[in-house]
């Protein structure tokens, strides 16, 4: 597949994590391969990055047993900029590391290269959010997409009692893409693996924060959902169909 050959001094790569098995979805098919409008959710997601002018290449991380099917989907929908489909690891952070490791060892040749890490089941990503993520990371070294908390956020104790009610105005939901200097996040993953911390981290933002990095945020809309449950699936389907009916795309 073709890879965009940009003229920038640095490259913008994407690692798409598509390793779920759909347990919470209650589906026999991994959630990333469930279809909306005759197209797998994973393809809806990757298309947004593939079509973006500033993206140079994409690595997809997938469970070993689904790599062949994943590659068939990528070919069927003529997705370009795919560098490789990498076999996933034992957990989410291990799988992300494998994608980063492939880029470092086989593709990247600049210490200034940027990587956007994104869930394969977060298909409502927009062109504008990708642009803002890259711009923020270029300026500040990283970028975390967040959305405003729209309900009251509380902290509870071990017995489930309310310990503190947090100020919703300063609370955000961490989402994706999460964008970093490729070399920095790869090296941080190496440290975490040596220290046995890698599997304890829920996402790349928490990993980098735990090693002292100041993280910068950009805001996105609440529609930038991760499809984990049936409710999420039908919510994205409704968003997609409403946009299609109005003759617009999720840009």
């Amino acid at each position: 597949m073709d890879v965009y050959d940009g003229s920038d001094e640095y490259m913008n790569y994407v690692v798409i994590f598509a390793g779920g098995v759909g347990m919470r979805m209650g589906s026999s098919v991994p959630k990333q391969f469930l279809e909306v409008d005759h197209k797998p959710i994973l393809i809806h997601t990757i298309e947004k990055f593939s079509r973006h002018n500033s993206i140079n290449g994409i690595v997809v991380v997938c469970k070993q047993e689904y790599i062949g099917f994943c590659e068939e989907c990528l070919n069927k929908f003529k997705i370009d900029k795919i560098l490789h489909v990498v076999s996933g690891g034992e957990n989410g952070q291990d799988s992300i590391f494998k994608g980063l490791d492939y880029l470092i060892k086989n593709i990247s040749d600049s210490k200034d290269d940027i990587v956007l890490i994104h869930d394969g089941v977060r298909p409502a990503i927009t062109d504008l959010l990708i642009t803002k993520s890259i711009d923020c990371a270029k300026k500040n070294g990283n970028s975390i997409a967040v959305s405003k908390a729209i309900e009251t956020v509380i902290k509870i104790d071990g017995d489930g009692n309310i310990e503190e009610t947090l100020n919703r105005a300063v609370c955000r939901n961490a989402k994706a893409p999460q964008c970093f200097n490729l070399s920095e996040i790869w090296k941080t993953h190496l440290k975490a693996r040596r220290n046995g911390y890698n599997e304890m981290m829920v996402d790349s933002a928490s990993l980098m924060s735990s090693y002292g990095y100041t993280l910068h945020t950009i805001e996105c809309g609440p529609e930038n959902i991760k499809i984990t449950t049936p409710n999420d699936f039908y919510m994205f389907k409704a968003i997609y169909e409403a946009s299609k009916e109005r003759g617009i795309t999720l840009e």
Side-chain angles (χ1 to χ4, degrees), residues 51-62:
R51 293 171 180 170
H52 196 285
N53 290 336
S54 295
I55 297 300
N56 301 95
I58 302 167
V59 172
V60 181
V61 185
C62 183

Side-chain angles (χ1 to χ4, degrees), residues 15 59 61 86 94-104 182:
V15 170
V59 172
V61 185
V86 179
D94 189 36
S95 294
I96 289 171
F97 172 75
K98 288 193 171 188
L100 300 173
D101 200 50
Y102 180 84
L103 284 172
I104 286 287
L182 173 58

Side-chain angles (χ1 to χ4, degrees), residues 119-163:
D119 307 290
V121 289
R122 201 182 285 273
I125 178 73
T126 65
D127 189 77
L128 178 59
L129 183 54
I130 294 171
T131 298
K132 288 168 63 177
S133 296
I134 293 171
D135 289 346
C136 182
K138 183 179 179 181
K139 178 182 178 182
N140 300 308
N142 58 65
S143 172
I144 311 299
V146 299
S147 64
K148 292 180 179 180
I150 58 176
E151 297 190 52
T152 300
V153 181
I154 61 172
K155 180 182 178 182
I156 62 173
D157 61 21
D159 296 321
N161 301 313
I162 294 179
E163 195 172 82

